[in-house]
Every structure is written in C-alpha cells, then in structure tokens.
Amino acid sequence: MPEPVTSVTFPPAFLWGAATSAYQIEGAVREGGRTPSIWDTFSRTPGRTAGGDTGDIAVDHYHRYREDVALMAELGLNAYRFSVSWPRVQPTGRGPAVQVGLDFYRRLVDELLEHGIRPAITLYHWDLPQELEDAGGWPERDTALRFAEYARIVGEALGDRVEQWITLNEPWCSAFLGYGSGVHAPGRTEPEASLRAAHHLNLAHGLGTSALRSVMPARNTVAVSLNSAVVRAVSSDPADLAAAARIDDLANGVFHGPMLHGTYPQTLLAATSSVTDWSYVRDGDLRAVNQPLDALGLNYYTPTLVSAAGADTTAPRADGHGASAHSPWPGAADVAFHQTPGERTEMGWTVDPTGLHELLMRYTRQAPGLPLYVTENGAAYDDKPDPDGHVHDPDRIAYLHGHLSAVRRALTDGADVRGYYLWSLLDNFEWAYGYGKRFGAVYVDYATQERTPKSSARWYAEAARSGALPPVTGR
Ligand code: FCB
C-alpha cells in the first residue's frame, strides 16, 4: 500500500529556517566601536586560514541585512538563527554595552519580525573579544563570568522581541579546536587547557542561562547548540567499541553530562586523568551548569568512525575542521579515525543522513520531553554560476532531501523535533577554509556581493511553503 500523504508532511508549526554566524557574514569589523575578536587576530596571522582569508568584509551583511532579510522572506523561511558578535556589543568583553552595536541587532530583529521570520539568537559563535583571550581565554574561569554579564546585556536589550535564545554554538569546537588542535582561534595546542576551556564553556552556558532568565520574559526559551558527534566503531571488537566510547565521552558526554545531568561521566574523568586533575571544577559548578533547558539544538554534518589504534589509519582524519599535527582529543592517542565510506561533500565529509536520525533518537531517549531543533545541517559543494547566471546544486538538494527525510523519520519515531535551520543562508567565511567552501543556499559573488539563490534555495523554499519534501531533480 502506498504511504498516506500525511506521513511525509511536516507538522504545521515546524520551523523552516536558515542559520549564519556573525564573524562568517557581517564584515564591518572596524565599525561602530567593534574591537577585534580572536577570529580577527587568528585569521590575520599568516598561515592560519586558506589564502589568508579574513572576515574583514565577509558578505557585508552588516550593511546588507535588509536585502538578506528580504531574500529570506522571498524564500518563505519562517525562522532565522544568527549570532551576536560579542566584541560588537561589549568591545573589551567587560563593562557597559555599546549602543551602536545593540542597535544593529535590534534593527535586524525588527526587520525579521516585520517579515514574519522568527529570530533565534546565538550568543556565542566563537568570536571571543581578543582582550578576554589576552587575559587567558576560555581556560580561565573569569571568561565564564564575563559571558554571563554579556548574556544579561543582550537579554535585557532584545529579550522583549526575541523568544528563542541559544547560549553557545558547538562548545566542542571552541574548546578542542581552539585550544587542542589549534585549527581554530585562538590556535593554541594545549591539551590541558582544552579541558579547562570545556569546563568553563559549560559554566558559561549555565551562568548565561541563569542571567538570561533573570532579565527576560518567562515565555522566552533558552537552549544550547551542540555538535554532538555520532560516533561509530569500525567493528564490534571490544577494543574498537572502547575507542568509540572514549570519543563519545570527549565529544558529547563532556558537555551534555553536566548540562543535562549535572555530572561529568566517570569514564571521561578516568580517561583524561593523565592530562588534567579537573581541580578547576569547583563546588557548586555542576549545579550552576545543570540549568533546566527549554530545548536542545543539534548541529549535524557527518558521522565519526573510529577504531582502536593499530588498525589502518591511512584514511584522512574526519574529526574536525582542518588538519593539525595536534590531536583535538586529549587522552585518546590510542584511537584511530577513519573515513566513513560513501559519497562526500567538498569538505570531505561523508553524506550519511542515518546519523541525523540516530542523533535525534539518542536525545529523545536521553532527555525525554526536551524539544529538539536541528540548529545546523548542510553541505559545501563547488558551486559555480552557469553561463546564464543560474547556480545548479543538485547535490545539495539531494543532501537536504536525505537529511530532512531523516528528520521526518525521527518525528514518526517519536522525536519532538520543532524545526530545522539549514547551514547556511549564504556562502560565507568558512573558518580555516576561508571562502573556498560554499555552504550557502544562496550563492555570493565575493567580488560584487551579488546574491543569487541556488536551485537548492528554490527547492527548500518549496519544502517550507508546502510542508513536504519536493523530489530531487537534476542530478
Ligand atoms: C559548524 C559551525 C558553522 C559552520 C559549519 C559548516 O561546525 O558551527 O559555523 O562552520 O560547521
């Protein structure tokens, strides 16, 4: 029997969104009193980003936000997740806010609301004010206290008009790529500091959540966006399963342990005991981190395949956002990483929508009753305009179809998924990869800043309009 049509449609209240982050799109890094963030410093350091690319101009969203909101409206999106640049609203990371900075976000939010698009604010998407890094950065406890103050400032300014709040984006990347492998700002390669950073990011999330709640209307929701890894072992050999469990602790348990359950996994503490003694976890910290959440944001791109070391490790590592001689996994030197078989995107990330279904079901079991959002999902491809100026990206359409189908299956299987934010609205500055990797549903000509919706943007618009997935064509 053919499936009834209703089984492939999404709930009417489902959010069809797109996501971006401040440093990746805004540009205008010297305007309105903004000071450098760690990403300004890092990207201007020779050798840190592909081609020496920086976010100085990015896609000039700071000046073109009206055009960008109009584009979202044209595509029928009903939600938009963006981040606030900390050094734009509180330049030194301390003290009073800069009104010009807050005003920019107020105007952006008002523009979104006028177009019927629900804003979701991420407070921290990796752009720490440089002054706070100079004082020690995330490995220092004070950075968490500073974050809570910043959260209060933004919550006070925008809590009356923005209902959805996300404290941190992917704290794993901040801690382990920023302070472990060093492929992200600030580019430090200190295993102990990466675990300290993880704890202080957890604390920042908890204190920030409390600060937001103390200044915002009760109807507003607070969440966090985790890039929870879908860790799979190459075999069911006990050594491979142990390697997968180790990486699961370092990728997932280190954050969702304290955030959702108020504790670090014992297995994580044991496995990292040669790297750190965790003495910076003070009495009361875990209670502060373990704030009740209104929702959980999950960012998913590709699964992580591991084995015990000693197996074939010739395959490229698929454990982060760039190659480094330093591992982002403290205490896991005996784990080897493998490429998951299958089709790959331009990032070299294997396309595997089953991982998204697995992730959503995992948190449905682990945090029953907590609404879930896919706060990022998408793919980079080598998109180019054809002679008529059209950008055809059938591979991205297939990627989106596969992953949204996985979301739909998770809904059927009982997951409370409320929305999906495509990464990304526009092509943008892809961190250490610079402008070389295009994740946008909308193509950007970086020389002219002209925006052209790719065919995937039209496909996604139709999905958003109809609440169902159109077929994949053009492959
Ligand atoms: C995520 C980041 C986002 C973007 C995508 C491709 O890890 O949150 O900024 O770089 O990957």
Side-chain angles (χ1 to χ4, degrees):
M1 257 209 358
E3 277 196 81
V5 171
T6 48
S7 72
V8 294
T9 60
F10 285 72
F14 194 77
L15 295 184
W16 297 86
T20 63
S21 87
Y23 189 72
Q24 294 180 276
I25 65 166
E26 284 181 5
V29 294
R30 294 182 181 86
E31 282 180 51
R34 181 189 179 283
T35 54
S37 74
I38 53 174
W39 267 97
D40 294 271
T41 308
F42 185 78
S43 64
R44 288 174 196 155
T45 306
R48 290 305 204 170
T49 65
D53 289 350
T54 71
D56 282 4
I57 299 173
V59 295
D60 196 30
H61 173 77
Y62 186 76
H63 297 117
R64 293 168 195 264
Y65 72 93
R66 281 205 173 83
E67 184 191 335
D68 292 338
V69 173
L71 202 50
M72 285 183 241
E74 186 196 315
L75 296 173
L77 305 189
N78 58 12
Y80 176 52
R81 169 178 178 242
F82 64 95
S83 80
V84 169
S85 158
W86 188 347
R88 204 181 278 296
V89 307
Q90 199 192 26
T92 60
R94 313 168 187 278
V98 163
Q99 210 46 49
V100 190
L102 286 173
D103 284 348
F104 167 68
Y105 294 106
R106 204 175 274 126
R107 288 197 306 274
L108 170 62
V109 164
D110 288 347
E111 195 74 13
L112 289 162
L113 293 173
E114 271 164 39
H115 285 83
I117 299 168
R118 283 181 69 159
I121 285 187
T122 307
L123 285 171
Y124 185 73
H125 201 127
W126 306 353
D127 45 359
L128 188 71
Q130 181 61 43
E131 265 193 50
L132 293 186
E133 174 57 28
D134 295 344
W138 285 112
E140 288 302 318
R141 185 178 185 87
D142 188 53
T143 306
L145 310 185
R146 300 278 66 77
F147 176 80
E149 186 181 295
Y150 157 68
R152 172 188 292 269
I153 288 173
V154 186
E156 253 165 11
L158 299 172
D160 62 337
R161 58 199 83 188
V162 176
E163 289 183 14
Q164 288 188 289
W165 293 74
I166 293 163
T167 52
L168 306 175
N169 176 69
E170 301 190 357
W172 185 85
C173 294
S174 301
F176 298 104
L177 300 182
Y179 295 92
S181 70
V183 298
H184 277 188
R188 288 164 57 180
T189 50
E190 304 160 31
E192 215 247 333
S194 69
L195 288 161
R196 283 177 175 271
H199 178 62
H200 296 133
L201 283 152
N202 279 324
L203 190 59
H205 160 77
L207 298 177
T209 301
S210 304
L212 284 175
R213 292 205 201 286
S214 71
V215 295
M216 296 199 312
R219 65 163 188 275
N220 290 1
T221 63
V222 183
V224 62
S225 284
L226 300 177
N227 53 326
S228 279
V230 175
V231 186
R232 293 169 176 167
V234 293
S235 81
S236 52
D237 186 293
D240 293 336
L241 294 177
R246 178 87 59 86
I247 296 305
D248 190 70
D249 275 347
L250 283 165
N252 305 325
V254 64
F255 298 109
H256 73 213
M259 287 181 185
L260 300 180
H261 311 298
T263 174
Y264 284 107
Q266 279 308 322
T267 43
L268 169 75
L269 302 181
T272 53
S273 61
S274 63
V275 184
T276 189
D277 61 7
W278 294 88
S279 55
Y280 38 88
V281 181
R282 296 198 192 155
D283 282 354
D285 278 9
L286 291 169
R287 218 172 320 118
V289 177
N290 183 211
Q291 295 301 315
L293 288 176
D294 300 301
L296 181 64
L298 296 169
N299 296 356
Y300 173 80
Y301 291 90
T302 190
T304 303
L305 186 61
V306 304
S307 70
D312 172 21
T313 53
T314 51
R317 298 173 64 128
D319 58 358
H321 280 253
S324 167
H326 302 271
S327 168
W329 306 103
D334 52 347
V335 176
F337 290 81
H338 304 268
Q339 182 80 45
T340 302
E343 214 181 289
R344 297 187 209 169
T345 70
E346 206 40 36
M347 295 294 280
W349 296 348
T350 303
V351 179
D352 187 348
T354 65
L356 182 53
H357 178 264
E358 193 177 319
L359 190 62
L360 293 167
M361 297 318 296
R362 173 185 187 164
Y363 284 97
T364 299
R365 283 190 303 273
Q366 198 156 332
L370 192 63
L372 304 176
Y373 289 86
V374 178
T375 40
E376 282 183 32
N377 176 243
Y381 289 105
D382 186 19
D383 308 309
K384 292 189 181 72
D386 70 12
D388 299 326
H390 299 300
V391 184
H392 295 292
D393 57 344
D395 291 338
R396 184 173 290 99
I397 294 178
Y399 185 99
L400 296 177
H401 186 279
H403 287 79
L404 279 158
S405 300
V407 172
R408 182 53 257 189
R409 263 188 296 120
L411 280 163
T412 306
D413 295 343
D416 183 8
V417 193
R418 304 279 177 96
Y420 174 95
Y421 295 84
L422 185 165
W423 185 273
S424 183
L425 175 69
L426 303 155
D427 291 336
N428 62 46
F429 174 78
E430 180 47 36
W431 308 112
Y433 293 92
Y435 296 97
K437 305 288 183 229
R438 293 181 176 273
F439 271 94
V442 174
Y443 182 87
V444 178
D445 178 334
Y446 293 118
T448 61
Q449 295 292 352
E450 194 188 338
R451 277 88 160 125
T452 307
K454 303 176 190 176
S455 42
S456 61
R458 303 288 173 209
W459 182 91
Y460 189 60
E462 177 55 21
R465 191 197 60 75
S466 62
L469 303 180
V472 178
T473 53
R475 266 192 126 195

